[in-house]
Amino acid sequence: MSWTDERVELLKKLWADGLSASQIAGQLGGVTRNAVIGKVHRLSLSGRVKPASSTPRPRKPRPAVQHRASARPFIQGNTVLKPHAPPAPRRLPAPIAAEDVVVPISLNRSLMELSDTMCKWPLGDPGVEGFYFCGHKNFNSLPYCEYHSRVAYQPVNDRRRERSNYSG
Protein backbone atom coordinates (compact mmCIF):
# COMPACT_ATOMS: atom_id res chain seq x y z
CA MET A 1 0.00 0.00 0.00
CA SER A 2 1.31 3.43 -0.88
CA TRP A 3 0.24 6.77 0.50
CA THR A 4 -1.45 8.56 -2.39
CA ASP A 5 -2.41 12.23 -2.20
CA GLU A 6 -6.09 11.30 -1.79
CA ARG A 7 -5.35 8.91 1.10
CA VAL A 8 -3.11 11.49 2.82
CA GLU A 9 -5.88 14.14 2.55
CA LEU A 10 -8.41 11.66 3.98
CA LEU A 11 -5.99 10.85 6.78
CA LYS A 12 -5.59 14.56 7.59
CA LYS A 13 -9.39 15.07 7.61
CA LEU A 14 -10.09 12.04 9.80
CA TRP A 15 -7.28 13.03 12.17
CA ALA A 16 -8.67 16.57 12.48
CA ASP A 17 -12.14 15.09 13.13
CA GLY A 18 -10.70 13.35 16.19
CA LEU A 19 -10.78 9.73 15.06
CA SER A 20 -8.28 7.36 16.65
CA ALA A 21 -5.44 5.82 14.67
CA SER A 22 -7.21 2.44 14.75
CA GLN A 23 -10.43 3.95 13.39
CA ILE A 24 -8.55 5.76 10.64
CA ALA A 25 -6.72 2.55 9.69
CA GLY A 26 -10.08 0.76 9.47
CA GLN A 27 -11.55 3.41 7.19
CA LEU A 28 -8.49 3.65 4.95
CA GLY A 29 -8.07 -0.11 4.68
CA GLY A 30 -4.81 -1.86 3.94
CA VAL A 31 -2.87 -0.01 6.66
CA THR A 32 -2.21 -0.72 10.29
CA ARG A 33 -2.72 1.53 13.28
CA ASN A 34 1.06 1.90 13.57
CA ALA A 35 1.33 2.94 9.90
CA VAL A 36 -1.23 5.68 10.55
CA ILE A 37 0.63 6.87 13.64
CA GLY A 38 3.90 6.93 11.69
CA LYS A 39 2.39 8.92 8.83
CA VAL A 40 0.79 11.40 11.26
CA HIS A 41 4.20 11.88 12.86
CA ARG A 42 5.98 12.37 9.51
CA LEU A 43 3.33 14.86 8.43
CA SER A 44 3.80 16.70 11.76
CA LEU A 45 0.09 16.84 12.34
CA SER A 46 -0.80 18.51 15.59
CA GLY A 47 -1.52 16.36 18.56
CA ARG A 48 -5.12 16.42 19.65
CA VAL A 49 -6.32 17.45 23.05
CA LYS A 50 -9.01 15.29 24.57
CA PRO A 51 -12.18 17.27 25.11
CA ALA A 52 -12.69 18.14 28.74
CA SER A 53 -15.72 16.51 30.29
CA SER A 54 -18.45 18.88 31.43
CA THR A 55 -18.41 17.63 35.02
CA PRO A 56 -15.17 16.67 36.70
CA ARG A 57 -15.01 13.18 38.01
CA PRO A 58 -15.12 13.11 41.81
CA ARG A 59 -12.03 11.69 43.46
CA LYS A 60 -12.30 8.90 45.91
CA PRO A 61 -10.89 9.87 49.28
CA ARG A 62 -7.85 7.87 50.20
CA PRO A 63 -8.07 5.85 53.37
CA ALA A 64 -5.96 7.19 56.18
CA VAL A 65 -2.65 5.38 56.45
CA GLN A 66 -2.39 3.62 59.74
CA HIS A 67 1.12 3.18 60.96
CA ARG A 68 1.74 0.02 62.80
CA ALA A 69 4.79 -0.74 64.77
CA SER A 70 6.80 -3.40 63.03
CA ALA A 71 10.33 -4.62 63.23
CA ARG A 72 10.83 -4.28 59.47
CA PRO A 73 10.33 -1.01 57.58
CA PHE A 74 7.94 -0.93 54.62
CA ILE A 75 9.88 -0.89 51.35
CA GLN A 76 8.13 0.10 48.16
CA GLY A 77 9.57 -0.29 44.68
CA ASN A 78 12.98 -1.72 43.93
CA THR A 79 14.19 -3.86 46.82
CA VAL A 80 17.84 -4.12 45.80
CA LEU A 81 18.85 -1.64 48.47
CA LYS A 82 16.35 -2.95 51.00
CA PRO A 83 17.86 -3.06 54.47
CA HIS A 84 18.52 -6.54 55.71
CA ALA A 85 19.24 -7.74 59.17
CA PRO A 86 22.99 -7.84 59.66
CA PRO A 87 24.45 -11.33 59.72
CA ALA A 88 25.26 -12.69 63.12
CA PRO A 89 28.92 -11.97 63.81
CA ARG A 90 31.21 -14.95 63.95
CA ARG A 91 32.79 -15.38 67.29
CA LEU A 92 36.46 -16.04 67.00
CA PRO A 93 38.36 -17.62 69.83
CA ALA A 94 40.66 -15.46 71.92
CA PRO A 95 44.16 -15.25 70.48
CA ILE A 96 46.79 -17.42 72.08
CA ALA A 97 50.53 -17.48 71.63
CA ALA A 98 51.70 -19.56 68.68
CA GLU A 99 54.32 -21.20 70.85
CA ASP A 100 51.59 -22.72 73.06
CA VAL A 101 50.03 -24.76 70.28
CA VAL A 102 51.63 -27.78 68.71
CA VAL A 103 50.35 -28.82 65.29
CA PRO A 104 50.58 -32.62 65.03
CA ILE A 105 52.71 -33.73 62.13
CA SER A 106 50.32 -36.59 61.35
CA LEU A 107 47.65 -34.11 60.12
CA ASN A 108 49.86 -32.40 57.54
CA ARG A 109 48.23 -32.69 54.11
CA SER A 110 49.45 -32.04 50.61
CA LEU A 111 47.40 -29.92 48.25
CA MET A 112 45.94 -33.03 46.61
CA GLU A 113 44.81 -34.44 49.98
CA LEU A 114 42.93 -31.29 51.15
CA SER A 115 39.15 -31.31 51.33
CA ASP A 116 36.63 -28.54 52.01
CA THR A 117 36.52 -29.38 55.70
CA MET A 118 40.28 -29.17 56.28
CA CYS A 119 42.44 -26.22 57.39
CA LYS A 120 44.26 -24.67 54.45
CA TRP A 121 46.98 -22.90 56.44
CA PRO A 122 50.31 -23.34 54.59
CA LEU A 123 53.22 -24.78 56.56
CA GLY A 124 56.72 -24.19 55.25
CA ASP A 125 58.05 -22.84 51.98
CA PRO A 126 56.12 -23.88 48.84
CA GLY A 127 59.39 -24.09 46.88
CA VAL A 128 60.95 -26.63 49.26
CA GLU A 129 60.15 -30.28 49.75
CA GLY A 130 58.17 -30.88 52.93
CA PHE A 131 55.61 -28.13 52.24
CA TYR A 132 52.17 -29.03 53.61
CA PHE A 133 48.88 -27.58 54.76
CA CYS A 134 47.62 -27.87 58.34
CA GLY A 135 44.80 -30.34 57.62
CA HIS A 136 42.88 -29.93 60.92
CA LYS A 137 39.08 -29.62 60.92
CA ASN A 138 37.74 -26.18 59.85
CA PHE A 139 36.48 -23.80 62.50
CA ASN A 140 33.08 -22.04 62.03
CA SER A 141 33.12 -22.70 58.26
CA LEU A 142 36.30 -20.62 57.90
CA PRO A 143 39.13 -21.90 55.72
CA TYR A 144 41.31 -22.43 58.79
CA CYS A 145 41.26 -24.47 62.00
CA GLU A 146 40.64 -22.83 65.37
CA TYR A 147 44.30 -22.03 66.00
CA HIS A 148 45.04 -20.61 62.54
CA SER A 149 41.78 -18.60 62.65
CA ARG A 150 43.14 -16.88 65.76
CA VAL A 151 46.31 -16.03 63.90
CA ALA A 152 44.63 -14.94 60.68
CA TYR A 153 41.68 -12.96 62.06
CA GLN A 154 42.70 -10.49 64.71
CA PRO A 155 40.08 -8.40 66.50
CA VAL A 156 39.82 -4.82 65.21
CA ASN A 157 40.83 -3.29 68.54
CA ASP A 158 44.06 -5.29 68.59
CA ARG A 159 44.98 -4.15 65.08
CA ARG A 160 44.33 -0.50 65.98
CA ARG A 161 46.40 -0.84 69.12
CA GLU A 162 49.33 -2.28 67.09
CA ARG A 163 49.11 0.52 64.49
CA SER A 164 49.11 3.22 67.16
CA ASN A 165 52.26 1.69 68.72
CA TYR A 166 54.13 1.91 65.40
CA SER A 167 53.07 5.47 64.55
CA GLY A 168 54.75 7.01 67.67
Side-chain angles (χ1 to χ4, degrees), residues 46-118:
S46 64
R48 297 171 298 188
V49 178
K50 292 183 178 180
S53 61
S54 58
T55 58
R57 193 172 47 165
R59 292 183 132 192
K60 294 180 184 177
R62 288 187 174 184
V65 177
Q66 294 186 9
H67 297 283
R68 56 187 165 109
S70 69
R72 297 184 337 194
F74 175 72
I75 303 296
Q76 184 176 3
N78 193 348
T79 60
V80 171
L81 300 176
K82 180 172 99 173
H84 296 285
R90 289 192 235 182
R91 297 195 62 216
L92 298 176
I96 57 173
E99 298 83 32
D100 296 343
V101 175
V102 177
V103 179
I105 294 175
S106 61
L107 291 181
N108 289 349
R109 301 285 187 236
S110 69
L111 180 63
M112 300 306 289
E113 297 172 325
L114 280 179
S115 70
D116 290 341
T117 61
M118 293 180 176

Side-chain angles (χ1 to χ4, degrees), residues 23-47:
Q23 293 169 333
I24 295 171
Q27 286 196 12
L28 288 175
V31 292
T32 64
R33 171 186 160 275
N34 285 338
V36 170
I37 292 171
K39 190 64 174 176
V40 165
H41 179 70
R42 287 188 299 278
L43 292 172
S44 301
L45 297 179
S46 64

Side-chain angles (χ1 to χ4, degrees), residues 1 22 104:
M1 191 293 317
S22 298

Side-chain angles (χ1 to χ4, degrees), residues 6 8 14-15 44-45 61 71 77 84 95 101 105 107 144 160 163:
E6 296 84 29
V8 171
L14 296 173
W15 185 257
S44 301
L45 297 179
H84 296 285
V101 175
I105 294 175
L107 291 181
Y144 306 121
R160 286 186 185 146
R163 256 189 271 143

